[in-house]
Amino acid sequence: MAAAEELDIVIVGGGICGLATALGLHRKGIQSVVLERSDTLRATGAAITVFPNGWRALHQLGLDSTLLSTAIPWQRAVDISPEGVAHEIRLSEEDTRCLRRGDLVEALANALPLQTIRFGCQVVSVNVEKSSSCAVLQLHDGSLIKAKVLIGCDGLNSVIANYIGLKPTRFLSTCSVRGLTLYPNGHGYAPKSLRVRKDKHYVGRIPIDEKTVYWFVALEWIQKVDAKMPKDPASIRQLALDRTAGFSKDIVEMIENSDLSSLSLTRLRYRAPWNLLSRSLRRETITVAGDAWHAMGPFLGQGGSVALEDAVVLARCLSKKICNANMNRSRMHLSTQMAKDALDEYLKERRRRVVLLSTLTYLTGLLTIEDLSLLLRLLCIIIFAVVFRDRLNHTRYDCGEL
């Protein structure tokens, strides 16, 4: 068996959280390696809403000014009920924008040093070497990597989350089609989020800029019908059109004229908030961040922003321990105890935030898409009134300086 390559900090997953964590460490002068299973950068999901809390994290990473120019701000969200009644919510006066996922991922990747991201590296197993407490990763090609710190940012099907003992994600009763539509002469839509519901399906639309809109269709999951979901873009678009036949002409045309290359269809999943509260989230010097830790439904649009927060806090905690211990050293020294202390500090700071936001998202999803009994619906409303009285408070969160 070939000898393992030895590295200090390894991040599994080259999505938003993984790249942001690597960038946060780089900004503090700490090198890391990102292992991405795909052969190129991936930006599945077309677009992502970034709320003020996410922009604060991007500011710490030095990317806010670059990305602000790629999308227009919006401060209003409008929900239209099946009966045609519109309910409008005024958001924070601070920036809320919908970014193309590709723009965000590319900005993160371009800010990293060359060779930070290794493409085509799929992790198939993880173990801890007893003698050193280092994580040993086996890749699909049989090669081995030994890491002093291992951070799993590998999403919903996280190999790292599974290794440290997190329970598997759960399925919601909904699947989602997401895409982009370009209007060469301008779409003319107001800068606001729109959600329209009919029967058990609903459509959302958010302008990215004057000519591009992001949209999604949330569809009831029908076990017998949807067991084999289409994968090719044309079939995905046709599915969305079939299920939204009764919606307004502008929505149907938006789906018809969508960019096929942007379309995706996924079954929505989440991690139960009570599992996040009770489970250990570190095993030796291994932990998780982003969706690998707190996968949540899209009902608050906070998944990306919270992943950026994770990245800033994780990079801060690691850099604080490393920098304090290496003030008089010419080469970086990272001990097992330093790594454990840093990861514990990160988890302690993030757990309450993550559990509360996952709970808020979970309850919002129940009220939005699930057929609840009158008693359960009343219970959710009471919890909202007692615990989450200010529905926008989570968007004002500040993850602090890097």
Side-chain angles (χ1 to χ4, degrees), residues 146-168:
K146 184 188 293 186
K148 292 181 180 179
V149 174
L150 177 60
I151 304 166
C153 300
D154 45 342
L156 294 167
N157 298 308
S158 172
V159 175
I160 313 303
N162 182 59
Y163 179 73
I164 67 173
L166 268 176
K167 287 188 176 181

PDB file of all heavy atoms in Angstrom, residues 146-168:
ATOM      1  N   LYS A 146      -3.430  11.692   4.899  1.00  0.00           N
ATOM      2  CA  LYS A 146      -3.495  11.811   6.351  1.00  0.00           C
ATOM      3  C   LYS A 146      -3.628  13.290   6.705  1.00  0.00           C
ATOM      4  O   LYS A 146      -2.819  14.107   6.269  1.00  0.00           O
ATOM      5  CB  LYS A 146      -2.243  11.227   7.001  1.00  0.00           C
ATOM      6  CG  LYS A 146      -2.288  11.220   8.530  1.00  0.00           C
ATOM      7  CD  LYS A 146      -0.949  10.819   9.130  1.00  0.00           C
ATOM      8  CE  LYS A 146      -0.623   9.370   8.821  1.00  0.00           C
ATOM      9  NZ  LYS A 146       0.620   8.943   9.538  1.00  0.00           N
ATOM     10  N   ALA A 147      -4.656  13.645   7.460  1.00  0.00           N
ATOM     11  CA  ALA A 147      -4.932  15.044   7.776  1.00  0.00           C
ATOM     12  C   ALA A 147      -4.937  15.268   9.279  1.00  0.00           C
ATOM     13  O   ALA A 147      -5.560  14.504  10.022  1.00  0.00           O
ATOM     14  CB  ALA A 147      -6.279  15.463   7.191  1.00  0.00           C
ATOM     15  N   LYS A 148      -4.276  16.345   9.711  1.00  0.00           N
ATOM     16  CA  LYS A 148      -4.310  16.697  11.131  1.00  0.00           C
ATOM     17  C   LYS A 148      -5.675  17.252  11.516  1.00  0.00           C
ATOM     18  O   LYS A 148      -6.144  17.061  12.647  1.00  0.00           O
ATOM     19  CB  LYS A 148      -3.215  17.720  11.434  1.00  0.00           C
ATOM     20  CG  LYS A 148      -1.797  17.164  11.320  1.00  0.00           C
ATOM     21  CD  LYS A 148      -0.767  18.222  11.661  1.00  0.00           C
ATOM     22  CE  LYS A 148       0.645  17.673  11.550  1.00  0.00           C
ATOM     23  NZ  LYS A 148       1.664  18.718  11.851  1.00  0.00           N
ATOM     24  N   VAL A 149      -6.319  17.955  10.593  1.00  0.00           N
ATOM     25  CA  VAL A 149      -7.694  18.438  10.781  1.00  0.00           C
ATOM     26  C   VAL A 149      -8.479  18.084   9.528  1.00  0.00           C
ATOM     27  O   VAL A 149      -8.016  18.324   8.413  1.00  0.00           O
ATOM     28  CB  VAL A 149      -7.739  19.963  11.005  1.00  0.00           C
ATOM     29  CG1 VAL A 149      -9.189  20.449  11.053  1.00  0.00           C
ATOM     30  CG2 VAL A 149      -7.020  20.344  12.285  1.00  0.00           C
ATOM     31  N   LEU A 150      -9.653  17.514   9.709  1.00  0.00           N
ATOM     32  CA  LEU A 150     -10.518  17.158   8.591  1.00  0.00           C
ATOM     33  C   LEU A 150     -11.874  17.827   8.772  1.00  0.00           C
ATOM     34  O   LEU A 150     -12.524  17.659   9.808  1.00  0.00           O
ATOM     35  CB  LEU A 150     -10.693  15.642   8.513  1.00  0.00           C
ATOM     36  CG  LEU A 150     -11.645  15.121   7.428  1.00  0.00           C
ATOM     37  CD1 LEU A 150     -11.160  15.532   6.039  1.00  0.00           C
ATOM     38  CD2 LEU A 150     -11.773  13.601   7.523  1.00  0.00           C
ATOM     39  N   ILE A 151     -12.285  18.587   7.776  1.00  0.00           N
ATOM     40  CA  ILE A 151     -13.551  19.318   7.828  1.00  0.00           C
ATOM     41  C   ILE A 151     -14.450  18.815   6.706  1.00  0.00           C
ATOM     42  O   ILE A 151     -14.101  18.930   5.531  1.00  0.00           O
ATOM     43  CB  ILE A 151     -13.332  20.836   7.685  1.00  0.00           C
ATOM     44  CG1 ILE A 151     -12.355  21.334   8.753  1.00  0.00           C
ATOM     45  CG2 ILE A 151     -14.661  21.581   7.792  1.00  0.00           C
ATOM     46  CD1 ILE A 151     -11.822  22.731   8.482  1.00  0.00           C
ATOM     47  N   GLY A 152     -15.597  18.258   7.064  1.00  0.00           N
ATOM     48  CA  GLY A 152     -16.535  17.760   6.073  1.00  0.00           C
ATOM     49  C   GLY A 152     -17.510  18.831   5.629  1.00  0.00           C
ATOM     50  O   GLY A 152     -18.378  19.247   6.388  1.00  0.00           O
ATOM     51  N   CYS A 153     -17.341  19.278   4.388  1.00  0.00           N
ATOM     52  CA  CYS A 153     -18.283  20.223   3.772  1.00  0.00           C
ATOM     53  C   CYS A 153     -18.876  19.547   2.542  1.00  0.00           C
ATOM     54  O   CYS A 153     -19.074  20.184   1.499  1.00  0.00           O
ATOM     55  CB  CYS A 153     -17.571  21.512   3.382  1.00  0.00           C
ATOM     56  SG  CYS A 153     -16.789  22.387   4.751  1.00  0.00           S
ATOM     57  N   ASP A 154     -19.137  18.255   2.668  1.00  0.00           N
ATOM     58  CA  ASP A 154     -19.520  17.431   1.522  1.00  0.00           C
ATOM     59  C   ASP A 154     -21.019  17.189   1.414  1.00  0.00           C
ATOM     60  O   ASP A 154     -21.468  16.187   0.858  1.00  0.00           O
ATOM     61  CB  ASP A 154     -18.754  16.099   1.527  1.00  0.00           C
ATOM     62  CG  ASP A 154     -18.701  15.425   2.889  1.00  0.00           C
ATOM     63  OD1 ASP A 154     -18.935  16.090   3.909  1.00  0.00           O
ATOM     64  OD2 ASP A 154     -18.403  14.226   2.941  1.00  0.00           O
ATOM     65  N   GLY A 155     -21.805  18.116   1.918  1.00  0.00           N
ATOM     66  CA  GLY A 155     -23.219  18.180   1.606  1.00  0.00           C
ATOM     67  C   GLY A 155     -24.121  17.120   2.221  1.00  0.00           C
ATOM     68  O   GLY A 155     -23.807  16.504   3.236  1.00  0.00           O
ATOM     69  N   LEU A 156     -25.261  16.914   1.563  1.00  0.00           N
ATOM     70  CA  LEU A 156     -26.332  16.080   2.107  1.00  0.00           C
ATOM     71  C   LEU A 156     -25.919  14.629   2.305  1.00  0.00           C
ATOM     72  O   LEU A 156     -26.360  13.973   3.240  1.00  0.00           O
ATOM     73  CB  LEU A 156     -27.550  16.140   1.176  1.00  0.00           C
ATOM     74  CG  LEU A 156     -28.245  17.501   1.061  1.00  0.00           C
ATOM     75  CD1 LEU A 156     -29.206  17.510  -0.115  1.00  0.00           C
ATOM     76  CD2 LEU A 156     -28.984  17.835   2.341  1.00  0.00           C
ATOM     77  N   ASN A 157     -25.091  14.119   1.410  1.00  0.00           N
ATOM     78  CA  ASN A 157     -24.650  12.730   1.494  1.00  0.00           C
ATOM     79  C   ASN A 157     -23.253  12.638   2.084  1.00  0.00           C
ATOM     80  O   ASN A 157     -22.418  11.869   1.615  1.00  0.00           O
ATOM     81  CB  ASN A 157     -24.686  12.079   0.109  1.00  0.00           C
ATOM     82  CG  ASN A 157     -26.085  12.036  -0.466  1.00  0.00           C
ATOM     83  OD1 ASN A 157     -27.017  11.575   0.180  1.00  0.00           O
ATOM     84  ND2 ASN A 157     -26.238  12.520  -1.683  1.00  0.00           N
ATOM     85  N   SER A 158     -22.996  13.404   3.096  1.00  0.00           N
ATOM     86  CA  SER A 158     -21.657  13.558   3.646  1.00  0.00           C
ATOM     87  C   SER A 158     -21.075  12.261   4.204  1.00  0.00           C
ATOM     88  O   SER A 158     -21.633  11.648   5.116  1.00  0.00           O
ATOM     89  CB  SER A 158     -21.684  14.623   4.754  1.00  0.00           C
ATOM     90  OG  SER A 158     -20.446  14.663   5.429  1.00  0.00           O
ATOM     91  N   VAL A 159     -19.930  11.870   3.641  1.00  0.00           N
ATOM     92  CA  VAL A 159     -19.180  10.737   4.178  1.00  0.00           C
ATOM     93  C   VAL A 159     -18.649  11.072   5.569  1.00  0.00           C
ATOM     94  O   VAL A 159     -18.618  10.230   6.468  1.00  0.00           O
ATOM     95  CB  VAL A 159     -18.007  10.382   3.231  1.00  0.00           C
ATOM     96  CG1 VAL A 159     -17.127   9.281   3.828  1.00  0.00           C
ATOM     97  CG2 VAL A 159     -18.538   9.947   1.876  1.00  0.00           C
ATOM     98  N   ILE A 160     -18.262  12.342   5.764  1.00  0.00           N
ATOM     99  CA  ILE A 160     -17.682  12.763   7.039  1.00  0.00           C
ATOM    100  C   ILE A 160     -18.748  12.797   8.129  1.00  0.00           C
ATOM    101  O   ILE A 160     -18.516  12.344   9.256  1.00  0.00           O
ATOM    102  CB  ILE A 160     -17.008  14.147   6.909  1.00  0.00           C
ATOM    103  CG1 ILE A 160     -16.119  14.202   5.662  1.00  0.00           C
ATOM    104  CG2 ILE A 160     -16.215  14.474   8.162  1.00  0.00           C
ATOM    105  CD1 ILE A 160     -15.053  13.134   5.612  1.00  0.00           C
ATOM    106  N   ALA A 161     -19.925  13.319   7.816  1.00  0.00           N
ATOM    107  CA  ALA A 161     -21.023  13.342   8.799  1.00  0.00           C
ATOM    108  C   ALA A 161     -21.394  11.937   9.229  1.00  0.00           C
ATOM    109  O   ALA A 161     -21.663  11.672  10.407  1.00  0.00           O
ATOM    110  CB  ALA A 161     -22.230  14.070   8.220  1.00  0.00           C
ATOM    111  N   ASN A 162     -21.426  11.030   8.287  1.00  0.00           N
ATOM    112  CA  ASN A 162     -21.732   9.642   8.600  1.00  0.00           C
ATOM    113  C   ASN A 162     -20.677   9.054   9.538  1.00  0.00           C
ATOM    114  O   ASN A 162     -21.007   8.335  10.489  1.00  0.00           O
ATOM    115  CB  ASN A 162     -21.807   8.823   7.312  1.00  0.00           C
ATOM    116  CG  ASN A 162     -22.179   7.383   7.555  1.00  0.00           C
ATOM    117  OD1 ASN A 162     -23.238   7.078   8.103  1.00  0.00           O
ATOM    118  ND2 ASN A 162     -21.286   6.471   7.165  1.00  0.00           N
ATOM    119  N   TYR A 163     -19.413   9.402   9.300  1.00  0.00           N
ATOM    120  CA  TYR A 163     -18.332   8.844  10.116  1.00  0.00           C
ATOM    121  C   TYR A 163     -18.391   9.344  11.558  1.00  0.00           C
ATOM    122  O   TYR A 163     -18.149   8.591  12.495  1.00  0.00           O
ATOM    123  CB  TYR A 163     -16.973   9.178   9.499  1.00  0.00           C
ATOM    124  CG  TYR A 163     -15.817   8.652  10.316  1.00  0.00           C
ATOM    125  CD1 TYR A 163     -15.530   7.289  10.340  1.00  0.00           C
ATOM    126  CD2 TYR A 163     -15.034   9.509  11.091  1.00  0.00           C
ATOM    127  CE1 TYR A 163     -14.488   6.789  11.121  1.00  0.00           C
ATOM    128  CE2 TYR A 163     -13.991   9.012  11.871  1.00  0.00           C
ATOM    129  CZ  TYR A 163     -13.730   7.657  11.882  1.00  0.00           C
ATOM    130  OH  TYR A 163     -12.709   7.170  12.655  1.00  0.00           O
ATOM    131  N   ILE A 164     -18.719  10.621  11.749  1.00  0.00           N
ATOM    132  CA  ILE A 164     -18.729  11.144  13.119  1.00  0.00           C
ATOM    133  C   ILE A 164     -20.026  10.812  13.858  1.00  0.00           C
ATOM    134  O   ILE A 164     -20.162  11.109  15.044  1.00  0.00           O
ATOM    135  CB  ILE A 164     -18.476  12.669  13.167  1.00  0.00           C
ATOM    136  CG1 ILE A 164     -19.627  13.448  12.525  1.00  0.00           C
ATOM    137  CG2 ILE A 164     -17.149  13.020  12.522  1.00  0.00           C
ATOM    138  CD1 ILE A 164     -19.496  14.949  12.689  1.00  0.00           C
ATOM    139  N   GLY A 165     -20.992  10.198  13.170  1.00  0.00           N
ATOM    140  CA  GLY A 165     -22.171   9.688  13.851  1.00  0.00           C
ATOM    141  C   GLY A 165     -23.452  10.480  13.705  1.00  0.00           C
ATOM    142  O   GLY A 165     -24.430  10.200  14.396  1.00  0.00           O
ATOM    143  N   LEU A 166     -23.491  11.453  12.796  1.00  0.00           N
ATOM    144  CA  LEU A 166     -24.740  12.174  12.569  1.00  0.00           C
ATOM    145  C   LEU A 166     -25.759  11.255  11.909  1.00  0.00           C
ATOM    146  O   LEU A 166     -25.416  10.469  11.015  1.00  0.00           O
ATOM    147  CB  LEU A 166     -24.500  13.387  11.661  1.00  0.00           C
ATOM    148  CG  LEU A 166     -24.193  14.714  12.341  1.00  0.00           C
ATOM    149  CD1 LEU A 166     -23.877  15.778  11.301  1.00  0.00           C
ATOM    150  CD2 LEU A 166     -25.352  15.171  13.202  1.00  0.00           C
ATOM    151  N   LYS A 167     -27.004  11.351  12.332  1.00  0.00           N
ATOM    152  CA  LYS A 167     -28.046  10.554  11.708  1.00  0.00           C
ATOM    153  C   LYS A 167     -28.276  11.015  10.274  1.00  0.00           C
ATOM    154  O   LYS A 167     -28.066  12.185   9.943  1.00  0.00           O
ATOM    155  CB  LYS A 167     -29.343  10.659  12.514  1.00  0.00           C
ATOM    156  CG  LYS A 167     -29.300   9.904  13.835  1.00  0.00           C
ATOM    157  CD  LYS A 167     -30.664   9.875  14.490  1.00  0.00           C
ATOM    158  CE  LYS A 167     -30.635   9.028  15.762  1.00  0.00           C
ATOM    159  NZ  LYS A 167     -31.966   8.962  16.407  1.00  0.00           N
ATOM    160  N   PRO A 168     -28.728  10.114   9.401  1.00  0.00           N
ATOM    161  CA  PRO A 168     -28.950  10.482   7.999  1.00  0.00           C
ATOM    162  C   PRO A 168     -29.993  11.591   7.864  1.00  0.00           C
ATOM    163  O   PRO A 168     -30.840  11.776   8.741  1.00  0.00           O
ATOM    164  CB  PRO A 168     -29.453   9.183   7.358  1.00  0.00           C
ATOM    165  CG  PRO A 168     -28.991   8.095   8.268  1.00  0.00           C
ATOM    166  CD  PRO A 168     -29.006   8.683   9.651  1.00  0.00           C
TER     167      PRO A 168
END
